[in-house]
Amino acid sequence: MLFLIVMFMLTVFLLFRNKELLCPSNVVFGSYFLYFIFPSTLFYILEWVDWVYVLPWGKTNDWSKLSDEAILSYAYVFTLFFLFTRLFEVLLARTSASTVLEQYRVNTFMLFVFTSLVLVGGLYFFQVTGGIEAWFGNYSDTYLENKKGYGLLNFLLIMSSNFLAFALGFYWKTARSKSYFLVLFVLVALVFCAYIQGVKSRIFYFTIFFSIPWLTVARLTLLKGAVIFVFFTLAFSFAMYFRSNGFYSTPEMLLEYFLSYFNTIFLHDMILRDMQPDFLLTMGYPMNKWLTFVGIPSEDYMHDISRWLTSIYFPKQWFQGSATQQWPIETELYLNYGNYIFWAVPVFMYSLYICTLYSLRYRLGPVFLFIFTCELLFFLSVFRGSMLQWIALFNIIFYLMLWGGSRLLFVKENVDVR
């Protein structure tokens, strides 16, 4: 069964893939490749070579013991998302990237000012969350524990540094002459932000946002896909070594970590075994979080489906450290839309939404290209979470603020930006 589903996903992608690299349907396949095809294939390769596990907890996820329902539900949701997004990509009108890449330039003075603000905000966050002793003495615990109470500042820093990486890439791509001092200054700010925001994910995100001017015109080939995957695994391994304070110190340990990290289907299998399908069971959780901002309290674990399920299945992990396991989108569909036939409705609606942004990404200037990419990466996170997340409200507010100030940073070609 597992082998057939893996081959099915690969075949559908190869037959119908969008050759534009940065598009919703490729994100769908990329997610299922990372969380289904890659770890399952790796598991059976290790089984074939009689791998002796070196991590203290040994073999944690046995792909041979998954239920057929879990495997088929992954195949079903992959099919819905991939075919819907691919259909909308074909139907919705598209325009050339030259609209953005040739008509706009970066105002270097405003880029310097924005970088300074991000760096000052990062230094303040660094100090109030423990300072040098905490961040360099015990990075892992500081990153997990000391951010409590500074969520809004952390959010603004994450989004602002993402935009800073995008602005740097746009500047590097479009500037006729470059200020290497400015480039170095921006890189220093980004490296510092990556350190305080979690190295593993930030390297990935900064690389994506910086590369948008190239990725948005890139064509997808199998060779490019393989290169991207190799780069991702190397960056992921380096970041995991750093974040774990050197615990994952050998290639063997890092290889095994992939099996334990990409575990969403096993979490979904637990729900299939223990719970019955339901309707709208957790859809109100984001609302619980939003209501806390107007003084209506609720427990933290009731703000997100993965938090709630972590508090049930991994209570020690949640109540001692507020860390979460990430349940997949299949679990949300199972608990909120009942029968499998109804799953197609929210998948259709979200696919239409993300593909509408895809069709508009070149029409409204560089900032909208950034917003589309943010939502595309948010789309990637949907596959191990929920379609409606409480953070979406803050994303919208940030986008509106960014849109209001965009004319200061990005100017038309015929305007002197020196």
Side-chain angles (χ1 to χ4, degrees):
M1 172 69 73
L2 186 62
F3 174 77
L4 292 176
I5 297 302
V6 167
M7 294 306 299
F8 167 76
M9 290 181 176
L10 290 171
T11 301
V12 168
F13 172 71
L14 292 175
L15 288 177
F16 302 106
R17 76 182 188 276
N18 189 337
K19 293 185 179 180
E20 291 185 0
L21 181 62
L22 211 60
C23 65
S25 61
N26 286 341
V27 167
V28 173
F29 176 77
S31 176
Y32 281 90
F33 182 86
L34 287 177
Y35 286 92
F36 186 84
I37 298 174
F38 168 59
S40 63
T41 303
L42 176 60
F43 172 81
Y44 279 105
I45 289 175
L46 297 183
E47 289 291 292
W48 181 61
V49 299
D50 293 324
W51 183 270
V52 178
Y53 287 81
V54 297
L55 287 175
W57 45 86
K59 180 167 61 176
T60 55
N61 296 322
D62 190 339
W63 284 81
S64 66
K65 295 181 179 179
L66 279 172
S67 69
D68 288 345
E69 185 176 3
I71 296 171
L72 289 172
S73 66
Y74 262 54
Y76 178 55
V77 177
F78 164 79
T79 303
L80 289 176
F81 261 119
F82 188 85
L83 295 184
F84 280 148
T85 54
R86 193 67 194 96
L87 176 64
F88 290 137
E89 287 167 3
V90 173
L91 293 179
L92 296 177
R94 293 171 290 177
T95 54
S96 171
S98 62
T99 304
V100 171
L101 299 179
E102 296 178 6
Q103 296 185 9
Y104 289 87
R105 295 292 182 268
V106 175
N107 185 314
T108 54
F109 174 73
M110 292 308 301
L111 180 58
F112 177 82
V113 171
F114 183 68
T115 304
S116 301
L117 292 174
V118 172
L119 190 57
V120 168
L123 288 169
Y124 175 76
F125 181 82
F126 180 83
Q127 185 61 37
V128 298
T129 54
I132 294 176
E133 183 177 352
W135 281 101
F136 289 100
N138 192 338
Y139 178 86
S140 183
D141 288 346
T142 301
Y143 172 77
L144 290 174
E145 297 292 336
N146 290 18
K147 296 184 297 181
K148 294 179 180 178
Y150 300 99
L152 180 59
L153 176 59
N154 189 44
F155 168 79
L156 290 174
L157 284 173
I158 289 173
M159 295 298 289
S160 297
S161 58
N162 286 342
F163 183 67
L164 183 59
F166 168 74
L168 178 63
F170 199 92
Y171 172 70
W172 188 267
K173 174 69 174 179
T174 61
R176 293 188 178 88
S177 61
K178 302 176 181 65
S179 168
Y180 291 97
F181 170 78
L182 177 60
V183 171
L184 180 61
F185 183 52
V186 175
L187 287 175
V188 168
L190 289 175
V191 169
F192 180 69
C193 287
Y195 183 82
I196 61 177
Q197 293 168 0
V199 179
K200 181 175 58 177
S201 61
R202 304 318 296 155
I203 291 175
F204 169 75
Y205 278 96
F206 288 166
T207 301
I208 293 294
F209 282 111
F210 175 84
S211 304
I212 288 173
W214 295 271
L215 294 177
T216 197
V217 296
R219 307 292 287 177
L220 178 63
T221 64
L222 296 182
L223 178 59
K224 286 181 181 177
V227 170
I228 292 171
F229 176 69
V230 170
F231 173 79
F232 168 80
T233 55
L234 292 175
F236 184 95
S237 299
F238 170 78
M240 197 60 236
Y241 169 81
F242 187 78
R243 185 173 171 181
S244 66
N245 292 324
F247 176 77
Y248 298 100
S249 57
T250 67
E252 293 83 3
M253 297 176 76
L254 288 166
L255 191 65
E256 291 180 21
Y257 181 74
F258 284 117
L259 291 178
S260 61
Y261 184 83
F262 298 109
N263 67 338
T264 56
I265 193 170
F266 293 92
L267 299 177
H268 180 58
D269 206 16
M270 294 165 57
I271 302 304
L272 294 177
R273 182 183 65 242
D274 297 344
M275 298 185 182
Q276 294 298 315
D278 209 332
F279 288 91
L280 306 181
L281 181 62
T282 67
M283 287 296 293
Y285 284 6
M287 183 65 70
N288 293 340
K289 179 65 175 181
W290 296 335
L291 289 175
T292 63
F293 300 121
V294 293
I296 301 177
S298 58
E299 296 291 344
D300 285 349
Y301 62 86
M302 298 297 289
H303 298 161
D304 174 86
I305 184 173
S306 290
R307 293 185 179 192
W308 173 58
L309 292 174
T310 299
S311 71
I312 295 173
Y313 287 95
F314 304 91
K316 184 177 180 180
Q317 181 178 338
W318 170 253
F319 290 105
Q320 290 187 4
S322 295
T324 60
Q325 296 286 326
Q326 296 297 311
W327 267 260
I329 187 64
E330 285 78 7
T331 300
E332 182 193 47
L333 294 170
Y334 179 80
L335 294 178
N336 288 279
Y337 300 99
N339 192 287
Y340 281 91
I341 194 173
F342 298 126
W343 293 18
V345 176
V347 173
F348 176 89
M349 294 176 64
Y350 199 99
S351 299
L352 178 60
Y353 162 72
I354 193 65
C355 288
T356 300
L357 297 182
Y358 171 73
S359 70
L360 296 173
R361 68 198 186 284
Y362 298 140
R363 301 181 183 183
L364 302 175
V367 170
F368 197 85
L369 179 58
F370 169 78
I371 292 172
F372 161 71
T373 308
C374 285
E375 289 300 291
L376 195 64
L377 292 172
F378 188 74
F379 183 41
L380 181 63
S381 73
V382 159
F383 291 100
R384 58 173 205 151
S386 170
M387 291 187 192
L388 180 61
Q389 301 178 25
W390 67 266
I391 198 65
L393 177 64
F394 289 90
N395 288 344
I396 293 172
I397 294 173
F398 182 84
Y399 296 155
L400 293 175
M401 293 170 56
L402 199 61
W403 188 269
S406 63
R407 293 181 181 180
L408 298 175
L409 184 60
F410 296 104
V411 292
K412 287 287 188 177
E413 168 67 20
N414 60 349
V415 178
D416 185 1
V417 298
R418 292 175 296 173

